[in-house]
Amino acid sequence: MTEYDCNVAIIGSGPAGIGAATALTKRGVKNITIFEREADIGGIPRHTKHLTYGLLVFGRPMTGPNFIKKIMARCKNVKIETNISVIAIKQNSEFEIATVSGVQKARAQHIILATGARETTRHARLVSGLRPQGILSTAALQQYIYSFGTCPFHKAIIVGTELVSFSAIWTLWRAKIRPVAMIEANNRITAYRPAVLMAKALGVPIFYNSKITDIESDDKLKTISIESKSGEKHKFECDGVIFSGEFIGENSLAQASHLQINPQTNIPLMDENWLSSDVDVTLIGNAAHPADMGDQCYLEGLKIGNVIADQMNHKNDSIKSFIAIKHGSNIKMTTPNMVRMSHQSAKNIDILLHVTKQYWGLVTVKYAGKTLYQKRHRCLPARRIRLKNIRLEPLNINDKSSIEISLE
Ligand SMILES: Cc1cc2nc3c(=O)[nH]c(=O)nc-3n(C[C@H](O)[C@H](O)[C@H](O)COP(=O)(O)OP(=O)(O)OC[C@H]3O[C@@H](n4cnc5c(N)ncnc54)[C@H](O)[C@@H]3O)c2cc1C
């Protein structure tokens, strides 16, 4: 007998996990537990205090903490366990948790992984130089400023120009710090172009086609050197660097488990209903597609909660096979990254696409020699592109083809 024996265990209390719990309880599923490793619930929005949440869900902008308060008001009868990290996922929906009294075994009929995403660190980006204090991600910066009311530096540089990088400008602004510069490796910002106006208005120069070449310090950071593709060099005096964006799904649990992983993206396999290679484990929110907006992750959680409620009520036992979804260059990932098909019935699916750089091109979806979808799309890395209503005919049992997606 384990202490936790739940119908549904949700790992992570961000917008996606809360959304799934809300839908499941509304559908009458009982005995749901959310496990959260932090002391407070809410995931990333709990320390994002600018008005960038709520538009899609409530029709008005609100801060992250307010957004979490509002969505929690709709989430009733769910047990929430904070300060508990889930440390392993096993076969047969068993899992292990780390608590103050040690490691415990737990069980659920269904496990939802809603563990979010993290930003790529300086080391993973292969930025060389010394290792002084003052090098942070945006998420860590927001915790310092919004949650602890302090800032670890006075003059900072922001590496990256994703939406979250502009969020870092706001956050520094709240601590009365104007960033020295933003550094972008490409020839345009990754976020929507109007964000440039915000940087301009706040007096933050953006250096395009540029990379950090050196980090100089004694025990504290002293200077950052950058160089552009054309060989132009700059040296900035500063005591902080924020490595923002380049999100990676927080999927260490899945990667160390029996779940199958997509070798192209390192994201666990998940089908059109967000079910992983084990139908009793689902992957949702930014763990599945690093990284989308908080409102989108909450709405996805609601949708998937309903799918899981259906599945728990009527387990569908008809023979199903995977069709892998593979993608070509300039495409970062697809959601789903596989489809579960029966040999009897056709189905229509939507596929979400994220790209690696700005692209105006023809998206083609092919399966078993047939073109299933072809349309020109304007693609931006910050925007997800929905390929709607792709029709898949019943599977030929001998056909081992993959669905191939290209962008030309
Ligand atoms: C720095 C930053 C700023 C952002 N700013 C905005 C913004 O201004 N507006 C906006 O719309 N979106 C913003 N986003 C994106 C938005 O916050 C996310 O889309 C949203 O929070 C994703 O929800 P989620 O539930 O998938 O994950 P998260 O919100 O990341 O929640 C995941 C939760 O899982 C918990 N967890 C992880 N692993 C374990 C484990 N093993 N055991 C137990 N618990 C675990 C984490 O502690 C966390 O609480 C930002 C993202 C970042 C990183």
Side-chain angles (χ1 to χ4, degrees):
M1 178 71 188
T2 56
E3 189 175 333
Y4 291 101
D5 195 344
C6 341
N7 283 338
V8 183
I10 300 174
I11 306 169
S13 69
I18 296 172
T22 306
L24 282 160
T25 48
K26 280 206 174 132
R27 292 287 304 274
V29 177
K30 299 208 163 38
N31 189 13
I32 300 167
T33 304
I34 299 182
F35 293 92
E36 171 55 56
R37 66 183 171 192
E38 302 282 344
D40 297 317
I41 60 156
I44 287 287
R46 78 189 188 284
H47 46 66
T48 311
K49 292 195 183 159
H50 28 253
L51 298 169
T52 43
Y53 291 89
L55 259 185
L56 288 180
V57 179
F58 298 104
R60 66 182 176 87
M62 54 185 71
T63 64
N66 206 8
F67 177 66
I68 293 298
K69 206 162 113 196
K70 292 256 179 225
I71 58 176
M72 276 311 289
R74 298 168 161 186
C75 181
K76 310 254 191 262
N77 303 322
V78 172
K79 191 171 175 189
I80 297 177
E81 294 286 6
T82 53
N83 290 316
I84 293 189
S85 284
V86 175
I87 54 169
I89 305 287
K90 308 269 181 185
Q91 305 262 15
N92 304 318
S93 309
E94 289 177 355
F95 55 103
E96 286 177 1
I97 54 179
T99 70
V100 279
S101 42
V103 174
Q104 287 178 24
K105 291 193 183 313
R107 241 212 117 258
Q109 273 185 53
H110 194 96
I111 298 173
I112 300 178
L113 294 169
T115 45
R118 58 190 141 86
E119 290 158 278
T120 300
T121 62
R122 165 250 176 115
H123 299 291
R125 296 181 202 216
L126 303 178
V127 176
S128 64
L130 294 165
R131 298 182 177 190
Q133 297 170 32
I135 301 184
L136 299 179
S137 64
T138 320
L141 173 78
Q142 290 186 337
Q143 286 204 49
Y144 270 110
I145 291 180
Y146 290 132
S147 306
F148 312 138
T150 176
C151 186
F153 39 62
H154 306 288
K155 273 178 124 180
I157 277 187
I158 299 170
V159 181
T161 58
E162 293 181 33
L163 277 176
V164 72
S165 321
F166 291 90
S167 173
I169 299 190
W170 272 129
T171 311
L172 287 168
W173 199 253
R174 290 282 289 253
K176 301 194 172 32
I177 294 174
R178 179 161 60 84
V180 178
M182 288 182 104
I183 314 295
E184 167 54 53
N186 295 308
N187 62 3
R188 60 151 287 163
I189 61 164
T190 310
Y192 305 111
R193 272 197 209 278
V196 171
L197 299 177
M198 172 195 162
K200 248 190 195 152
L202 298 178
V204 184
I206 304 177
F207 289 81
Y208 294 98
N209 295 313
S210 296
K211 280 194 169 158
I212 290 186
T213 50
D214 194 25
I215 297 177
E216 198 193 326
S217 71
D218 35 37
D219 60 330
K220 280 202 165 177
L221 203 147
K222 279 168 66 185
T223 63
I224 294 289
S225 302
I226 66 165
E227 185 171 346
S228 72
K229 280 183 188 156
S230 60
E232 206 177 303
K233 294 180 183 173
H234 295 272
K235 198 172 198 172
F236 302 98
E237 275 183 24
C238 58
D239 59 352
V241 183
I242 298 138
F243 281 96
S244 65
E246 292 196 21
F247 289 96
I248 306 170
E250 181 60 78
N251 282 316
S252 42
L253 281 176
Q255 279 158 4
S257 75
H258 60 291
L259 301 179
Q260 291 180 41
I261 307 292
N262 178 328
Q264 251 184 315
T265 58
N266 242 351
I267 293 173
L269 288 186
M270 63 188 147
D271 71 11
E272 66 288 359
N273 290 319
W274 277 253
L275 300 176
S276 71
S277 54
D278 175 343
V279 289
D280 294 324
V281 182
T282 306
L283 183 74
I284 61 170
N286 276 349
H289 40 73
D292 284 335
M293 304 291 284
D295 285 52
Q296 290 170 325
C297 291
Y298 174 70
L299 294 172
E300 179 180 301
L302 288 177
K303 184 172 160 196
I304 277 88
N306 275 308
V307 170
I308 297 165
D310 282 344
Q311 167 167 304
M312 291 178 83
N313 290 337
H314 325 273
K315 279 229 167 185
N316 186 349
D317 292 329
S318 67
I319 305 166
K320 288 192 175 167
S321 306
F322 299 160
I323 310 177
I325 300 181
K326 293 187 178 164
H327 57 78
S329 53
N330 300 321
I331 299 174
K332 182 180 165 197
M333 65 190 166
T334 63
T335 316
N337 54 20
M338 67 151 167
V339 184
R340 268 195 175 82
M341 284 293 290
S342 84
H343 301 290
Q344 289 93 34
S345 48
K347 69 163 58 160
N348 285 10
I349 59 163
D350 287 0
I351 297 178
L352 299 178
L353 200 73
H354 285 77
V355 295
T356 54
K357 59 177 189 182
Q358 183 194 11
Y359 215 90
W360 170 235
L362 194 65
V363 178
T364 307
V365 181
K366 287 189 171 171
Y367 176 61
K370 278 195 196 145
T371 298
L372 306 183
Y373 179 99
Q374 196 161 53
K375 197 173 168 188
R376 206 160 265 287
H377 284 271
R378 192 170 122 66
C379 308
L380 278 176
R383 185 184 295 167
R384 59 189 198 181
I385 298 123
R386 188 179 290 275
L387 316 180
K388 284 189 194 156
N389 237 349
I390 299 172
R391 175 97 178 149
L392 289 164
E393 296 303 330
L395 203 64
N396 170 353
I397 201 152
N398 297 317
D399 196 335
K400 302 283 178 242
S401 313
S402 309
I403 296 171
E404 308 275 349
I405 307 187
S406 63
L407 172 59
E408 284 154 0

